[in-house]
Amino acid sequence: HHSGALFMFTTSGGGGSMSPLVLVCTITIYALVLSQCCIVLNVYVRPGLLRLLLMIPLILLHLTLPPVMVDRNENVITLAIMSALISWWCSFKLIAFAWDRGAITQAIRLKYPTIAIAMLLVLPVTPVFQQRDVEDTRSKNSQKTSSQATVTSYAWRFITKVALLLATVHAITAYQLPDIVAHFLMAWGLYALLGGLMDGLSCVCLLVDGRVKLVPHFDQPYLSESLEIFWAKRWNRFAAGQLRSIVFDPLIDNCAVAPPDANDRVARFRRRQRAGLFRVAVATICTFAMSGIMHELVFYHLTGAISSGAGWFLFFSLNGVLVLVERAMWSRTAWYTNLPSYVRVAFTLALEVYVAELFFFKPVIQAGLDVAVIESVKETTASFVLV
C-alpha cells in the first residue's frame, strides 16, 4: 500500500551522488581544513559575535550541501547521514565553538589538536578528554590497551544493532502487522540504525585517536522511567548534548559565550537552580523546538518538502511541553514515583509511541520514507553478501 508514496518519493529530485570513496575523501579533506581554521580563529578571534559571523558562510554552506553530494533517489540512508552530520551537527559544533562551548573548545587544548578537531567536526561522538599527552611509555601502553578494549566494545554494539535492524526490517516486510505494532518496530529499527551508525563511527574515531574516551550514544532508552530521562539521558545523547550546548545552556546562563566554569557540572547545576522555573521552562521548550526545526531540515533534504503538517516539528515541540507537564505533575504526585519501575517504563514508552504515531510516523509513511529506508537497508545488505 506504500507503492504510490514510494513513486512520489523516488521522482522528487536528485542529480547524482558522489562515489563513496570520493565522498569520504572530500569530507576528510574538508574536516582537516576546517580544523585548521578553528585553530587559527582560536588564536586571533575572541569567542563571541565576530567569531560567529565568520562561521555563518560555512553554516549556510552546510545547510545546502548534503543534497548536492548525495542523490536522494540512490541512497536515502546516506543522504540522511550526511544531512545530520553536516547540516545539523557540524553546524552546531561551529556555533558552540564560536561561543567557547562544546567539544571543539576542549579539543583545541590538546597537544596535537588538528586530527581530533577534524574528527569531532564530522563524526557524531561525545568525547571526555583525558590528560594523557605525557612522554611515558608505560602510560602510552596502558592507553593503547584501554583504547583497544573500548574499540572492541563499540564494535560489538555495532554488530548487535545491525542484527537488530535486519530483524526489524524482516519482521516489518515479512508479516502483515497492525499499524501500531509496525510503528513500534520502526522505533526499534530507528534505534538500531542510529545506534549502529554512531557506534561504527565511534570505532573509527577511537582507532584514529585514542586520547579520548567516548560517551555511549544510547543508554538503554527502552528502560526510561520518564520522558525527561528518555530525552536527556538515554536517547541519542550526542544530539542532546549539541542542543544543550547552543540552546539550553546559553538560555540558562543568560549569555551566549560560555562562563569560565561552563564544563563544571556542579556549577551548571547551580546556575540552573538560580535561573528559576520560568527560564528553565523556556529553555526546555526552545531546545525541543530547535530539535524539531533541524529534524524538519533533514526531512526536507530527504523528500524536497517539510513533513506533512510540520509533523516532525510538532512531535519534538510537543515532547518539550510533555516534559514540562511531567516535571510539574510528578514533583507534586508522590504516588506515581512510588509505582514499580516497570509500570513507569511501560507508561513512558506507550506515551512516546502514541505521540510518534500521531506526528512522526504519519509523515514518514506519506512521503514513502519507510519503504525507501527498508529498500536501502536491503540493497546495502545484499551488496555486502555479494562481496
Side-chain angles (χ1 to χ4, degrees):
H1 67 288
H2 296 308
S3 58
L6 180 60
F7 175 79
M8 178 182 70
F9 175 80
T10 56
T11 57
S12 58
S17 300
M18 292 182 177
S19 69
L21 179 60
V22 172
L23 187 63
V24 170
C25 290
T26 301
I27 293 173
T28 301
I29 294 170
Y30 177 70
L32 290 170
V33 172
L34 192 54
S35 173
Q36 285 300 121
C37 291
C38 290
I39 293 170
V40 172
L41 283 175
N42 186 66
V43 174
Y44 294 104
V45 182
R46 293 170 60 87
L49 182 59
L50 178 57
R51 190 185 284 188
L52 178 63
L53 289 175
L54 293 172
M55 294 292 183
I56 286 178
L58 292 173
I59 293 170
L60 294 176
L61 174 66
H62 293 170
L63 295 178
T64 58
L65 201 56
V68 176
M69 303 176 75
V70 182
D71 184 351
R72 70 171 64 102
N73 297 338
E74 294 182 9
N75 194 316
V76 65
I77 292 179
T78 302
L79 178 54
I81 292 169
M82 291 300 301
S83 181
L85 291 181
I86 304 300
S87 294
W88 180 356
W89 297 330
C90 184
S91 297
F92 272 33
K93 290 172 186 176
L94 291 178
I95 296 172
F97 171 67
W99 292 342
D100 204 32
R101 299 177 183 271
I104 296 175
T105 301
Q106 298 179 64
I108 216 160
R109 300 187 181 103
L110 293 173
K111 191 173 183 181
Y112 303 107
T114 302
I115 294 178
I117 294 173
M119 288 192 300
L120 291 176
L121 283 167
V122 296
L123 295 181
V125 293
T126 304
V128 179
F129 291 96
Q130 305 295 308
Q131 302 298 324
R132 290 177 173 176
D133 285 310
V134 292
E135 298 300 323
D136 177 60
T137 304
R138 182 174 56 185
S139 176
K140 288 182 178 181
N141 288 337
S142 64
Q143 174 183 333
K144 182 178 179 181
T145 302
S146 175
S147 177
Q148 288 173 342
T150 307
V151 169
T152 302
S153 69
Y154 273 100
W156 276 113
R157 291 176 189 174
F158 171 76
I159 292 170
T160 55
K161 289 185 175 71
V162 169
L164 175 60
L165 176 62
L166 295 177
T168 55
V169 167
H170 173 74
I172 291 170
T173 56
Y175 304 102
Q176 291 291 333
L177 301 171
D179 286 347
I180 188 68
V181 176
H183 296 166
F184 182 75
L185 290 177
M186 285 182 191
W188 276 99
L190 180 62
Y191 162 65
L193 180 62
L194 289 175
L197 164 69
M198 293 179 170
D199 290 338
L201 293 176
S202 294
C203 289
V204 175
C205 180
L206 291 168
L207 287 170
V208 174
D209 191 336
R211 288 177 293 176
V212 297
K213 69 175 183 178
L214 303 177
V215 177
H217 302 94
F218 291 84
D219 183 17
Q220 298 176 310
Y222 44 83
L223 297 181
S224 300
E225 297 182 13
S226 71
L227 293 176
E228 185 169 12
I229 291 175
F230 179 87
W231 289 112
K233 297 182 178 181
R234 290 188 179 273
W235 179 269
N236 200 347
R237 298 163 77 190
F238 167 76
Q242 300 302 308
L243 290 161
R244 188 181 300 115
S245 291
I246 75 161
V247 183
F248 188 85
D249 286 348
L251 288 172
I252 293 297
D253 298 338
N254 199 27
C255 180
V257 177
D261 56 357
N263 294 318
D264 187 320
R265 289 186 177 182
V266 175
R268 284 206 308 268
F269 177 75
R270 289 174 179 169
R271 283 196 296 274
R272 177 169 173 169
Q273 285 186 315
R274 291 195 299 267
L277 293 177
F278 179 74
R279 180 174 289 179
V280 171
V282 170
T284 301
I285 292 295
C286 290
T287 301
F288 276 91
M290 179 59 74
S291 178
I293 290 170
M294 300 315 296
H295 278 86
E296 286 288 358
L297 176 64
V298 174
F299 195 97
Y300 179 81
H301 285 163
L302 295 177
T303 66
I306 65 170
S307 63
S308 174
W312 278 20
F313 174 76
L314 292 176
F315 170 75
F316 289 97
S317 298
L318 180 58
N319 266 283
V321 174
L322 290 174
V323 165
L324 294 180
V325 171
E326 177 188 75
R327 194 182 291 162
M329 288 182 61
W330 299 164
S331 63
R332 302 171 185 271
T333 312
W335 67 266
Y336 181 81
T337 56
N338 292 330
L339 290 174
S341 60
Y342 65 85
V343 175
R344 285 176 284 164
V345 168
F347 177 79
T348 298
L349 296 183
L351 178 59
E352 196 60 61
V353 170
Y354 177 72
V355 176
E357 175 82 10
L358 295 177
F359 298 105
F360 189 88
F361 291 119
K362 185 177 179 180
V364 168
I365 294 169
Q366 288 179 343
L369 278 175
D370 55 335
V371 179
V373 169
I374 288 172
E375 291 302 317
S376 183
V377 170
K378 287 182 175 179
E379 289 173 8
T380 303
T381 304
S383 65
F384 275 105
V385 170
L386 290 175
V387 171

